[in-house]
Structure formats: C-alpha cells, structure tokens
Amino acid sequence: MPDCKYLQTKVFFEIGPEKFSCTGHVIVDPGFTSVMTWKAMDDETLPEFKKDQTFSLEEAKLAERQTNPPDYLTESELITLMEKHGIGTDASISVHINNICERNYVNVIAGRKLKPTPLGIVLVHGYQKIDQELVLSTMRSAVEKQLNLIAHGKADFQDVLHHALNIFRLKFKYFVENINGMDELFEVTFSSLAASGKPLSRCGKCRRFMKFIQAKPSRLHCSNCDDTFTLPQNGNIKLYKELKCPLDDYELVLWTTGVKGKCYPLCPYCYNNPPFKDMKKGFGCNECTHPTCQHGLSQTGVSECVECENGILVLDQTSAPKWRMACNMCNVVINFFDNAHKVSVSEDICEDCGSHIVNVDFSKGKTPLEGDETEHSGCVFCDPVFKPLVEKHHARMKRRGGASRTAGRGGRGRGGRSRGRGRGKPKDKMSQLAAYFV
C-alpha cells in the first residue's frame, strides 16, 4: 500500500526582531494508515491568514530542552557521503576507510559505526585551526576531477601533477610554520614530550639533559630548547661514555642491536643535520668524514667492505674484549681479536691489499704471538698472525614487530681496498645550521 500523503502549510510570524513559524497539514490520501489506524494522523488545519495581518499575543512559554548530537556515521553512510562529495573511487574508498581505522583515527563500534578517537578529533581540530581546507572535501574532490580530465584526454598529466604538487608544497610549508597551533591542542589532550621519557644525554646548546622518548619513533627531546632529534629505530639506545661530538658539543649516544648485531655511536645533532656535503641525514659516527674525530670514519675505517661496493669496514670501539669491525652500509661483521687489550687503526697502508694497518695489544697470558709478546701490527687480511683470526659473519638485524633475521657464517673474510679519508678543515656546524624543524 502507498504511504500516507498530506498537504503541509507553513506560516511565518514576526514579533519584533524575532521570527517564528507554525505548520499545519491536511490528509490527502491516508494510504496504509487506512488499515493501520493506530498510525493514522489527524488534520491540523490553520486558520486563514493574510499577509501583513496583525494578531495579539495571548500567551508565551519558554520550554527548556536539550539537543542531541547526530549519531556516528556507519561505514555505508560514510561511503555514500564520499561518493557524493567526489572523494576517492570505487577501488580506493575502502582503502581510505581502512587507513583511518589502522591509524587509530576512528574505532569501529556496534552497528559498524565509526567513532572518532581522541587522536582523530585533535588532528581534525588542529587542521581546522591551521588550514581548514585540509579537512574539507573540496581539495580531494578537485584533484579527483582533474584526474578524470586526464582520463578523458582533456588535461595533460604533467600539468596536473605540477599543479597539485605545488599546492601541497605551499600548504606543507605554511603548516610547518604554524605547527605551534597543533602542539597546543596536543598538549591539552596528550602528555607533552617535555613530560615524557627519561633523561639520557646533554644538549649541546643549553647543556641540560635531553629526554629519551622510547615509544616509536624513538627520539631525543630537549624541553629547554624545544628541539627534537630522531634516532635510529629497531635497536637499543644508551649513553656512550659521556663523550661529546667535537662539532657541536652534543653528547654521543650508542645504537646497538645486541651482541650478534651491529653497534655504532652517533651525535643526535649530526644524525639529523649532516655537517658535511658528502653526508646524508641519518648517518652515524661510522660514516662521518670529520678528519680528526676519534669516532669518525677517518680514524676507525680499516678497509672497504668485502661484499658491498660502497661500504667501509669500521672498527667497533665498543666491542672489547671480543673485537670486531662492521660495514657501515651492509650487515657484514668481521670478528678478529678475542683477547686483545687495545686495538687501534694506523695511518699506514698494506702494500698488498690497501687496507690500513691495525695495532693490537693482546692481554698477557692470552696472546697468540710467539715468546709471549703482546704487541703486534699488521694487515688484518694479509698478516700471517692476524689472518687465521679473521671470521666473517652477518649481523642480526631487528625487524618491525620484534622479528629478526640472521645470515649464516660466511667463513673467513678477505679485504683488499683502503678506506676514504676526509682532509678538509672541520666545519663549525653550529654557526651554519640554525633554525630547523624535525
């Protein structure tokens, strides 16, 4: 049976500056309510009104009520709205919804409804505060329309790409310049970085302790300078003997993946702000080309890697008494001296393979040298005393989720190329690298 049909009338009134309205209706066709009489509606007729007619007010009441917020959107309702506003395609809409769930912006509750999390709410409010277009559908739908023009041959791909990248580059730059607005909202809802973590190493600017934020992504934060420094992930971070970087006075930290993994010191500032042109962001001391630093490549590099093309085998100064060297690019590890008291790398070069000569001071009573000698210098790969002690392994590297992988022992390694040495004058990085954002 058809639905009930009625004719609705609406009249507007003005009382001073305020405007009101009243409605009435007359049943035209009762439809199914002729059978289901308990759902039938009565006529609510209004008297005949004329425009500009005046009435006297007999009674006025103020009713106190409370509005209710609209219910959370279901997945199907969200898909309908995305299609209506031109966000995504049939293939990508489900991916977008899955992404906001995995990133903890919303939770799926009973009835397949999407309930925003505190993180999602703060992010939306932060985007609205800085750049409202980042949360409106107009930006995404405009890009989708341009992609449709490309598909129909009405627009050039390179022109659309350049236009879109330029817009988002400018928006990103503006967002970074006004990021404080987002931080203020996060501080209200979540604990700030200054209140998180534990003191670990000293800042090179203010000499106060920076806090180590262990939650991924792990990082160091100086609450006094309001600086944040990213660190290598999937490993352990600890203070490295309270030694300082000669360039910026930041205390070095040690990154390690365990006894069977790799290990190297790094300067938090240099790691995020490379001091030399030949260095990239994310380099540790084992890749630093500083010509005089005792932790840099120039003082600890032994030879080029026995497997990869660009790697350098660097002496691990933290591995005593079981000394080893590791490639600063791949996961090759060379174990060579188990009972040495001191190991250092010399300036001298092996004439046969080009590796740097290594000076070793063995412990008394555990020396492999004849006549109980404890000191010996030679090439790790060519010297008849050192060569039998060399064993090549592959470091155990941690993966996401705590998994790991280990390559089998590769037998005895051979090297044959020299390390690179930087001869330039050390640069005053602190004067060159000023304001930055991490």
Side-chain angles (χ1 to χ4, degrees), residues 11-84:
V11 181
F12 295 92
F13 298 88
E14 290 185 4
I15 303 178
E18 302 296 334
K19 293 183 179 181
F20 301 90
S21 65
C22 64
T23 57
H25 59 261
V26 178
I27 303 300
V28 177
D29 183 358
F32 69 91
T33 60
S34 60
V35 178
M36 303 173 65
T37 55
W38 61 91
K39 288 190 175 183
M41 295 188 299
D42 296 327
D43 291 340
E44 294 182 358
T45 58
L46 296 177
E48 293 186 2
F49 296 105
K50 296 181 180 180
K51 188 176 180 181
D52 297 329
Q53 187 177 357
T54 304
F55 296 90
S56 59
L57 183 64
E58 294 184 357
E59 185 181 9
K61 294 181 179 180
L62 181 63
E64 183 178 356
R65 297 179 182 178
Q66 188 173 3
T67 59
N68 295 319
D71 201 1
Y72 298 117
L73 293 175
T74 63
E75 288 178 315
S76 60
E77 290 172 341
L78 179 57
I79 292 174
T80 302
L81 288 174
M82 293 176 70
E83 291 175 344
K84 176 181 178 181

Side-chain angles (χ1 to χ4, degrees), residues 282-297:
F283 278 9
C285 294
N286 62 343
E287 298 176 78
C288 179
T289 55
H290 191 291
T292 60
C293 179
Q294 60 177 329
H295 311 289
L297 182 61

